[in-house]
Amino acid sequence: MHSNDERATRHSVQAVARRTVALVNALTADDPPPDPSPSALAELLREHGESDPIELTATDVADLRAAALLLRAVFAAEDVDAAADALNRLLRRGRGRLRLTSHDGRSPWHPHLDRDDDAPWGEWFLASSCLALTMVLWDRQRPPGGVCTSATCRHVFVDEGGGPTRRYCSRRCATRERVAAHRRARA
């Protein structure tokens, strides 16, 4: 059994934002085109704190992909106003009112925007992601993340720091780009 702190942490805004990034990247990568199986996505959801049973169908995967493509626009926003506009468009599509749930005591109390605890996976993913990204934007007053500017990567990322705006999804991409720029300058 998980402690209350562990249970609360996996439902934190940052944890949901990181789950959003993982799913958007798994479902919308450019090269190679994504084709995750229902079981691979179920495992990714488990890695990000979702509890069993997780039973996904091909239709669920298609619905999750559709939501991921919509969420990509939030990460691609050029500035805070564009990110807020993108989030507002998605929030207007919402299916439910803001409510608190504990999933019948199986989790700590946390907010949901989907219709109910048995909402379809795509609706749940879009609603929970919009809520988390809205909170990140609200807290920091800047876009909640971005799209990696590396020429060889188009992954999205959540900007978790308070320093300068990030440009790359990982240190690996940033280092690869610095090395490439250095080699071009020396050539």
Side-chain angles (χ1 to χ4, degrees), residues 36-81:
S37 67
S39 62
L41 282 180
E43 185 56 34
L44 186 60
L45 287 165
R46 281 184 202 95
E47 289 171 13
H48 286 274
E50 293 306 313
S51 302
D52 281 320
I54 300 175
E55 298 171 4
L56 299 173
T57 65
T59 300
D60 294 326
V61 173
D63 292 346
L64 286 164
R65 179 175 287 121
L69 289 167
L70 293 170
L71 289 163
R72 194 170 253 289
V74 176
F75 292 100
E78 295 291 323
D79 57 39
V80 68
D81 294 335

Side-chain angles (χ1 to χ4, degrees), residues 85-101:
D85 287 344
L87 280 165
N88 280 332
R89 279 192 303 277
L90 294 176
L91 288 166
R92 279 192 295 275
R93 296 172 61 117
R95 308 242 195 240
R97 295 177 186 257
L98 183 62
R99 64 189 172 82
L100 290 168
T101 183

